[in-house]
Amino acid sequence: MGIKDYYDKLAKSYDNLYKNKYMRVVEREIIKREIKDDDFVLDIGCGTGEQLKILKNAIGLDISIEMAKIANKKTNKPVVVANAEFLPFKNKSFDKAISFFGALNHCNINRALREVNRVLKDDGVFIFTVANIYDMKWIIKNILKGNFKKVKNAMKKRKGTITKVVEGEKIKVKTRFYDFKEVEEALKKEGFEIIYTFGANITNSPLDKFLYKSFFKNFASYIGFVAKKSK
Ligand SMILES: C[S@@+](CC[C@H](N)C(=O)[O-])C[C@H]1O[C@@H](n2cnc3c(N)ncnc32)[C@H](O)[C@@H]1O
């Protein structure tokens, strides 16, 4: 199934399905640290508006019209339906851009980073997370279930499939996993300089608020980047 169809079908159940409470705590902490009230922000893959709702001066963007409709209704902010690989904005439009929990798992990351770089002002900052290939909770869970082949394949190909059941229908979408090194190289190539990195959903407990910048970020479900436009 294509990304648009998958998220269109998932939209109504999304908020009930994803209640990663402590991942949200870390995301909010980073937003609070890095984004000022008067920054003009683009939220890429805004989904149902989980981050958009706490930003003061922002536009959402999502490839799924059904997700975009929910975000717009929930946040009362403008939401554009578009692909992160082809951003419909002029050069140097935004002070900051964010993309949390997934849009970049379904993209050509270099293409998306190039576009973000283009629409950011000089010294603009991009803050985002992508799925981690070394997600320890996922690896342990699958090994305990005997799914060795699934783990081996994910490690080797850096690809996987997300499956959900919505109103009795099984829906699937292809996804991509990354490691720090690969994203760091892509950021450098596309004109960004890393300020710091972090992990989101390490233990999925209150500990995450203290661990997100520690060595344990390497085993988080999502790896995060705060990067400044350098050229
Ligand atoms: C897992 S959701 C995350 C939503 C939200 N940021 C959150 O934290 O809950 C991923 C979102 O990215 C969107 N998305 C996926 N690929 C995209 C692309 N290439 N361009 C724009 N949005 C995309 C999906 O439609 C979906 O709403």
Side-chain angles (χ1 to χ4, degrees):
M1 176 175 280
I3 313 160
K4 270 190 224 173
D5 289 344
Y6 175 85
Y7 281 104
D8 277 350
K9 286 194 186 248
L10 194 69
K12 278 201 193 109
S13 359
Y14 183 86
D15 285 344
N16 276 331
L17 273 173
Y18 290 104
K19 290 195 170 136
N20 309 51
K21 193 170 160 199
Y22 298 102
M23 181 175 79
R24 300 315 192 183
V25 170
V26 169
E27 289 173 356
R28 257 178 256 134
E29 181 80 13
I30 305 262
I31 289 175
K32 205 167 82 193
R33 267 174 87 124
E34 303 300 335
I35 298 183
K36 298 194 290 290
D37 282 357
D38 60 349
D39 281 336
F40 186 36
V41 184
L42 175 63
D43 182 356
I44 300 168
C46 65
T48 57
E50 187 61 35
Q51 295 82 27
L52 199 58
K53 70 182 181 195
I54 56 172
L55 295 167
K56 291 271 181 299
N57 185 18
I59 293 184
L61 177 141
D62 203 283
I63 202 164
S64 152
I65 189 161
E66 297 304 326
M67 296 292 265
K69 277 189 208 161
I70 298 175
N72 172 258
K73 201 168 166 196
K74 216 192 277 182
T75 67
N76 221 7
K77 295 196 174 78
V79 181
V80 175
V81 178
N83 188 335
E85 293 179 22
F86 304 94
L87 297 175
F89 302 104
K90 286 189 191 158
N91 296 355
K92 303 188 183 185
S93 299
F94 298 94
D95 298 297
K96 309 263 160 77
I98 63 168
S99 182
F100 283 110
F101 191 44
L104 300 192
N105 299 338
H106 305 291
C107 279
N108 174 324
I109 196 162
N110 282 78
R111 170 85 217 167
L113 290 175
R114 209 170 306 148
E115 275 294 87
V116 176
N117 185 296
R118 183 182 66 73
V119 302
L120 279 177
K121 294 179 188 168
D122 293 339
D123 290 336
V125 172
F126 186 31
I127 306 156
F128 64 100
T129 62
V130 288
N132 183 14
I133 185 79
Y134 302 115
D135 174 355
M136 208 40 78
K137 291 199 289 334
W138 183 86
I139 294 173
I140 292 170
K141 188 176 89 188
N142 277 287
I143 288 177
L144 292 177
K145 279 186 185 169
N147 293 334
F148 304 109
K149 211 170 154 198
K150 189 173 172 184
V151 174
K152 200 175 145 203
N153 270 342
M155 292 283 168
K156 205 168 140 195
K157 299 185 180 147
R158 302 195 160 219
K159 284 181 187 156
T161 305
I162 310 172
T163 307
K164 295 276 173 219
V165 177
V166 177
E167 290 168 359
E169 185 191 353
K170 208 182 224 185
I171 57 169
K172 291 182 182 187
V173 72
K174 291 206 171 11
T175 193
R176 178 77 161 74
F177 308 105
Y178 297 90
D179 66 20
F180 276 115
K181 190 163 171 269
E182 183 184 4
V183 182
E184 280 163 13
E185 280 167 6
L187 278 165
K188 204 169 157 198
K189 181 159 185 257
E190 303 307 338
F192 288 93
E193 181 189 309
I194 293 174
I195 305 174
Y196 64 89
T197 59
F198 60 94
N201 193 355
I202 300 173
T203 62
N204 203 20
S205 79
L207 276 177
D208 284 4
K209 203 172 167 184
F210 307 99
L211 295 178
Y212 71 93
K213 279 170 77 178
S214 73
F215 163 78
F216 295 101
K217 67 186 174 189
N218 289 293
F219 310 111
S221 298
Y222 272 71
I223 47 177
F225 302 81
V226 178
K228 193 169 89 175
K229 177 168 165 171
S230 58
K231 62 177 185 215

